[in-house]
Amino acid sequence: MPQVSCMDARRMAYADPCDVLVIDTETTGLDPSRDRLLSIAIIDGVGRTLFHSLIHPYGRKSWPEAQRVNHITPRMVRDAPSVYEIRDRVHGILSHARLFIGYNVSFDLDFLRAAGFEVPDTDWCDVMDDFVPIYDSINHTGGRWQKLTTCATFFGYRFVPHDALEDARATLYCCMAIAHQQRIGQEQIAPELGQNKPDRQSKNPRTAAKPLDFYRSTKGRRCSDMTSDEMRKEPCRAIEHKVQEESS
């Protein structure tokens, strides 16, 4: 199925957030054929937690390199459920998906498939793919891959990285911020095509869009002013504009 932009993902999340799934995993390594899942987090299009659990990686006793990154120790997953114990529950969630959102989402989906989960062949949005050209336009990195922490910092989002649930929430926030960026870009391009008088300053994503003023908590606070603990209790939602307004 086709890859969609963050802006399209945002429209889908507004239309039916229950059908939009943001996924993140932590693993014992980088190879789905050899490594194992350590944690899965799934949230919907407005940040509600649908599933989050550590997973026992049967067949793996240690993973020192991955542990230095995700800080998940063998002791932490000793009593965690296996993929077999959570398979039906996770499959029930995945089966309703019309869109998957992730940061380097193919990595997470490949690990889910390798672990035996049935992943629907549906639309997907890779937030990293949409972020790289935005970041590159300012920092001139040659289009290199950028970490989720870099993306989150760029948009002013504070979180604890390499925790699957924290990463999923950061991914959703960044997706919404990039969608806002893309919408602003479209609004600038249209008049420029007609007038042939580009506004050079407006091409700078940091000045053209203000996602931190736009993306607020359900209580109206700017997400950039909230702590990680507050983020966990109250996911951020873009609530000031509706899809109809963006489409008009």
Side-chain angles (χ1 to χ4, degrees):
M1 296 296 287
Q3 180 178 4
V4 304
S5 69
C6 287
M7 188 163 61
D8 289 334
R10 182 183 176 186
R11 292 193 183 103
M12 295 176 71
Y14 269 124
D16 198 342
C18 295
D19 290 344
V20 174
L21 301 184
V22 186
I23 294 180
D24 192 84
T25 62
E26 298 298 330
T27 66
T28 63
L30 303 176
D31 187 347
S33 66
R34 297 186 303 169
D35 292 301
R36 300 289 185 269
L37 290 165
L38 290 172
S39 180
I40 299 175
I42 307 173
I43 63 176
D44 69 8
V46 291
R48 292 175 294 208
T49 302
L50 304 179
F51 182 86
H52 179 220
S53 178
L54 291 171
I55 299 171
H56 193 299
Y58 284 99
R60 293 290 182 274
K61 294 183 178 180
S62 65
W63 42 93
E65 291 187 13
Q67 183 178 324
R68 283 193 288 270
V69 177
N70 57 39
H71 307 295
I72 299 176
T73 66
R75 183 181 182 87
M76 291 171 62
V77 297
R78 181 177 58 188
D79 298 321
S82 69
V83 292
Y84 304 101
E85 293 174 278
I86 65 172
R87 180 166 293 161
D88 289 345
R89 182 180 173 189
V90 171
H91 175 63
I93 297 170
L94 297 179
S95 64
H96 295 288
R98 291 182 55 245
L99 173 68
F100 289 113
I101 300 175
Y103 201 88
N104 190 21
V105 68
S106 61
F107 176 89
D108 302 301
L109 296 180
D110 285 347
F111 263 92
L112 291 176
R113 293 187 182 101
F117 294 103
E118 296 182 31
V119 179
D121 184 18
T122 189
D123 294 351
W124 53 279
C125 172
D126 194 323
V127 177
M128 182 178 68
D129 285 351
D130 281 18
F131 173 63
V132 166
I134 294 174
Y135 189 78
D136 185 59
S137 69
I138 295 175
N139 295 281
H140 309 292
T141 58
R144 290 198 304 270
W145 178 90
Q146 299 297 327
K147 297 179 180 179
L148 174 59
T149 51
T150 302
C151 183
T153 299
F154 184 88
F155 290 111
Y157 184 91
R158 302 189 302 273
F159 74 114
V160 179
H162 302 296
D163 172 282
L165 185 57
E166 290 261 340
D167 285 0
R169 287 172 173 165
T171 297
L172 177 59
Y173 179 88
C174 290
C175 181
M176 298 297 107
I178 291 170
H180 182 58
Q181 191 80 66
Q182 291 170 337
R183 182 175 67 90
I184 292 294
Q186 284 192 354
E187 291 175 352
Q188 292 165 352
I189 290 171
E192 288 176 5
L193 289 176
Q195 300 174 12
N196 197 26
K197 295 180 180 179
D199 179 357
R200 288 191 175 93
Q201 184 178 5
S202 69
K203 290 184 178 180
N204 185 328
R206 287 189 184 275
T207 59
K210 301 182 183 298
L212 302 187
D213 294 329
F214 179 76
Y215 297 100
R216 299 177 180 270
S217 71
T218 53
K219 295 180 181 178
R221 294 179 58 197
R222 290 202 321 173
C223 294
S224 57
D225 294 332
M226 299 174 70
T227 66
S228 293
D229 286 340
E230 289 173 324
M231 294 286 191
R232 281 191 286 270
K233 296 177 182 177
E234 186 190 348
C236 290
R237 302 175 186 177
I239 60 174
E240 295 183 348
H241 290 267
K242 303 297 183 183
V243 178
Q244 291 83 357
E245 295 172 346
E246 296 179 359
S247 301
S248 61

